[in-house]
Amino acid sequence: MSKKEINIDGFRHILHEHRSFSKEEMIEKSNSFYQWLNQRRSIREFSDQHVPKEVIENIIKTASTAPSGAHKQPWTFCAVSNTELKHKIRIAAEAEEKETYENRMGERWKNDLAPIATDMFKPFLEIAPWLIIACKRAYETKEDGSKHNNYYVNESVGLACGMLITAIHNAGLVTLTHTPSPMKFLTQLLKRPENERAFLLLPVGYPKQPVFVPDLKRKNLDEIAVFYE
Ligand code: IYR
């Protein structure tokens, strides 16, 4: 019988049963996955249609399969469906966004945003059935009170959020990577501990029907990749 586990420097390593595909299957799967993800769009207008909590739980569990520095998993996903809390988040976010749109953004930034028609008003924060606030955990506190910084926190949480967005699309739902800035109000409203900082705010739900999105084009492969063969 072949070994199912080994010991490396005192740590148990288990046999990983990797599943690979034939060349044809690999081409087919990679292409169809690309076609499917290429249909994903950021949506700014939501329906208030209910989304079961179990779906949100599955999406968050998927995000948490992301790799992270030293496997510290330095993230907390706050899922909000509470009407009152969503209202408070909208009010506070719009206050920050008003300041951002009126005083923090330069002309060039505003011009760059014009094609995607954003503004300081964020009704989706109340209409979408769920808001997911991805928080990064800068450090962990041990029982003895000592603090230990996590590693590659932005990279790790960014990866997890990418997988979160992919999982949302896979479930047939839509989201928007909303970045009110600064986001201190979120950690305050959510009563998060001192080691956590809000990273992204993602409304999750169904799109309003009908919904229109900007006619954006994605860069071609030769603009985004360089091959050294
Ligand atoms: N955070 C603002 C502004 C904004 C900035 C960028 I860069 C965008 O791609 C979209 C919006 C907002 O969420 O409206």
Side-chain angles (χ1 to χ4, degrees), residues 44 97 100-101 105 109 113 116 118-120 122 124 176-181:
R44 294 190 153 70
E97 292 295 84
T100 297
Y101 278 82
M105 282 177 177
W109 193 351
L113 285 182
I116 52 175
T118 66
D119 58 30
M120 66 179 78
K122 307 297 174 190
F124 56 78
L176 170 69
T177 38
H178 178 42
T179 51
S181 174

Side-chain angles (χ1 to χ4, degrees), residues 167-181:
I168 291 167
H169 180 67
N170 183 59
L173 298 170
V174 297
T175 187
L176 170 69
T177 38
H178 178 42
T179 51
S181 174

Side-chain angles (χ1 to χ4, degrees), residues 39-78:
Q39 288 173 34
R40 185 203 57 79
R41 295 298 310 258
S42 291
I43 296 295
R44 294 190 153 70
E45 294 178 288
F46 285 73
S47 135
D48 62 0
Q49 193 181 333
H50 172 78
V51 170
K53 183 178 176 188
E54 190 177 349
V55 176
I56 301 299
E57 290 173 343
N58 289 338
I59 286 167
I60 292 173
K61 284 193 282 184
T62 305
S64 198
T65 67
S68 61
H71 191 53
K72 295 294 181 185
Q73 303 173 94
W75 44 66
T76 302
F77 295 94
C78 303

